[in-house]
Amino acid sequence: MVTLTGSDQVVRELAHPATGAIEAEKVTITDNKEAGVYELWVDGQTAAGLLYNEAGTRVTILATAVFPKFRGKGIAGNLLGGVLDLLRAEGRTATLTCPFATAFVHSHPQYADVVDPTFPGNARSGHGRIH
């Protein structure tokens, strides 16, 4: 799980898309519906996961994790941005309970429209913000 500490690593993880660290053509995001996890794959290896729960058209983002060898490369930001882009395209919304997801949306306001207005989770509280 990504820990928000205000460190340079967190700032790099919040970057979306990764700045050349991982080539875009080598990255895919899949939805493992059985496990309730969006997975980001790099060259056929699972690099990160985003744990979620669904309720109708709303997806609650519970936690984001990046395997150690892929940390510090913007992978978490790529995964979260990709999932939010997908939810927007599908006309779905997100409730944010994951601190990293909350910080990501606060630092990327272009995703604010994907946050569920009725059930925003931590999005309105500022929880998880990096100051």
Side-chain angles (χ1 to χ4, degrees), residues 44-73:
Q45 296 179 43
T46 305
L50 187 150
L51 184 65
Y52 71 90
N53 214 344
E54 291 180 294
T57 61
R58 184 169 43 92
V59 174
T60 301
I61 298 175
L62 304 170
T64 306
V66 178
F67 283 103
K69 92 179 221 181
F70 293 101
R71 290 183 185 155
K73 299 177 181 178

Side-chain angles (χ1 to χ4, degrees), residues 25-50:
E25 63 271 5
K26 296 180 180 182
V27 174
T28 57
I29 296 174
T30 60
D31 183 1
N32 182 340
K33 287 191 179 285
E34 274 187 30
V37 178
Y38 285 101
E39 299 169 333
L40 185 139
W41 295 73
V42 177
D43 283 337
Q45 296 179 43
T46 305
L50 187 150

